[in-house]
Amino acid sequence: MPWRGPTYPGELPTLGYQVLGWIADNLIVPDGPAAGEPLEFTDEQAMFVLQLYALDPNFEGPAISGRALNNGRRIRRAVLSRPKGWGKSPLVAALCMAEALADVVPDGWDADGEPVGRPWTSLGFKAKVQIVAVSEDQTANTWDPLLEMARNGPVGDNYDIEPMEGFVNVPRGRIEPVTSSGTSREGFRPVFSAMDQTESWVPSNGGRKLAGVIRRNLGKVNGCSVETPNAFIPGVGSVAERSFEAWKKQLEGKLKADEGLLFDHREAPPETDPADEHSLMNGLAVAYGGSADRHGGWVNLRRLLNEYWDPDTDPQDARRYYLNQVTHATDSWLSQPEWAGCAAPAETVADSDPIVLGFDGSRKRNRGVTDATALVGCRVSDGHLFEVRVWEQPDGPAGDDWEVPVAEVLAEIETTFRRRNVVGMYADPAKWESHVAAWEAKYGHRLRVKSSANHPIEWWMTGGRANAIVRATRSLHDAVADRELTHCGSSTLTRHMLNARRSESRAGIQIRKEHPDSARKIDAAVSSILAWQCRLDALAKGDLKPERTGAVYFL
């Protein structure tokens, strides 16, 4: 029998209800005032479990056909990003126990069309579960509460398990903490991996390599992983950051046939003011959700406020650990809260709205990853920035020998000028000199705002223009910091903005990549600086009333 079908819009079948029931029947609260009581989750935590065990409504079952395992679960990797003390570790510890013992493998539907599960061991698999981190201290976050649950809860009476200090034996399986380099775990076949504090899994400590090995191993048996990071720092290349970027690509449809990533992140609103008690308490309450004492939970927000304000607490660390805000690298040009505070993704730009454009182009590189090519627009009336299009080298084999599709770029420029009311465009002509010259010849006469009389579009971001570049860069930075603009919220535009690093020069601050061959591109940020400067020059013209002549709009 197939699934019964949704009872409300957007409903998906899930084994999560059965998993939650199993946890309440078999596991206990590991410590604190409620220690020893049945483990029950907040609504927020329970919702994560329901999403994690969501099923494909078209899955027919059974779990196995012949020698092949059929995969009915939608999620193959998940990220649960919450502040310290929220309860990530007991939750994931409980999931480790459930994956080793409970009916977590979808096997079809019962007579009422509800999902049915079975344990891993019933399929002939050894229920191997890992708690993985790059240091022993990190694995202890999840391992310690797991041992308490295994040793003191009803699960020990209901199942033949053997909780030891360094592992837990379960029928035909094992749960164990692991700290390892990626190469030494190749070939291992876990059914579930808990990956703790992946914001600190970076290339220098082997974390990125380890994550890749774990995911390959899980793929052998249709297993699942859950990351439990605190807020990551943009630009360090951590596993948590790359998972975030993959999730954004999934939302925008840039991943081929893949909806298998669940990214559950909650942070304080970007307008939270740490210097204002009321604002900070409200921000903490949002970040901690149902775990906050204000909402009936166990986290004392007043104590966290005092920790936040402790003079020995680094302000950036406080934002990450207590507000769960993605902040910035020490040399970042913009912080994530600053940029997020200007987001207005619901804002639309009409074709008749006077806009200006910023363009930064690239060509094939001999080493490293080819720079992106970006076209960014800005509405003159209110300074709303939006991505028109960004061309980036694809990841993996698809990116081998990739070059910027010049014909596509030229077609996009032509379409934008034909469809929209473009009143100005500034373009860095480096490596695009002939194309910029052609645009000037074709469109220069209709532009209300011009870089110069002889070159209405050409606006160099290199060379002997340091003072002008610094002024333009500072103008956009100040507009973001003072919330004098809004932006479309595009993940690509956001990524490029947060990738930008401050570069000191005699004239002042400019922006650069983290290093010349970095794969973390900033071309959309450069295009935004150009678009914003063009907008300021448009405002200086003084005449902002749109009027239409034929198919072309003018200011």
Side-chain angles (χ1 to χ4, degrees), residues 96-97 100 127 129 131 143 146 166-170 173-177:
C96 289
M97 295 292 293
V129 174
I131 297 171
W143 183 247
L146 186 147
F167 57 88
V168 174
N169 278 332
V170 299
R174 173 180 288 202
I175 308 171
E176 61 178 351

Side-chain angles (χ1 to χ4, degrees), residues 88-100:
K88 299 189 297 292
S89 296
L91 171 57
V92 175
L95 293 178
C96 289
M97 295 292 293
E99 286 283 340

Side-chain angles (χ1 to χ4, degrees), residues 333-334 339 385 476 492-500 524-525 528:
W333 178 54
L334 287 172
W339 182 248
L385 280 170
L476 179 57
T492 302
L493 182 59
T494 295
R495 176 159 40 84
H496 284 222
M497 283 290 189
L498 299 183
N499 284 345
S528 297

Side-chain angles (χ1 to χ4, degrees), residues 301-355:
L301 299 187
R302 175 63 56 179
R303 172 58 188 267
L304 293 187
L305 179 139
N306 291 331
E307 293 292 341
Y308 199 114
W309 282 349
D310 191 301
D312 285 340
T313 300
D314 180 270
Q316 185 166 321
D317 287 343
R319 280 190 179 272
R320 289 178 53 223
Y321 291 130
Y322 299 126
L323 299 179
N324 204 40
Q325 289 180 331
V326 177
T327 54
H328 55 284
T330 55
D331 60 345
S332 288
W333 178 54
L334 287 172
S335 73
Q336 190 271 350
E338 288 174 329
W339 182 248
C342 297
E347 190 71 27
T348 59
V349 180
D351 289 348
S352 60
D353 290 341
I355 67 166

Side-chain angles (χ1 to χ4, degrees), residues 14 16 46-55 74-75 262 264:
T14 178
M47 181 56 68
F48 175 77
V49 176
L50 297 179
Q51 292 177 309
L52 179 66
Y53 288 95
L55 306 182
R74 292 171 59 89
I75 304 302
L262 168 64
D264 190 336

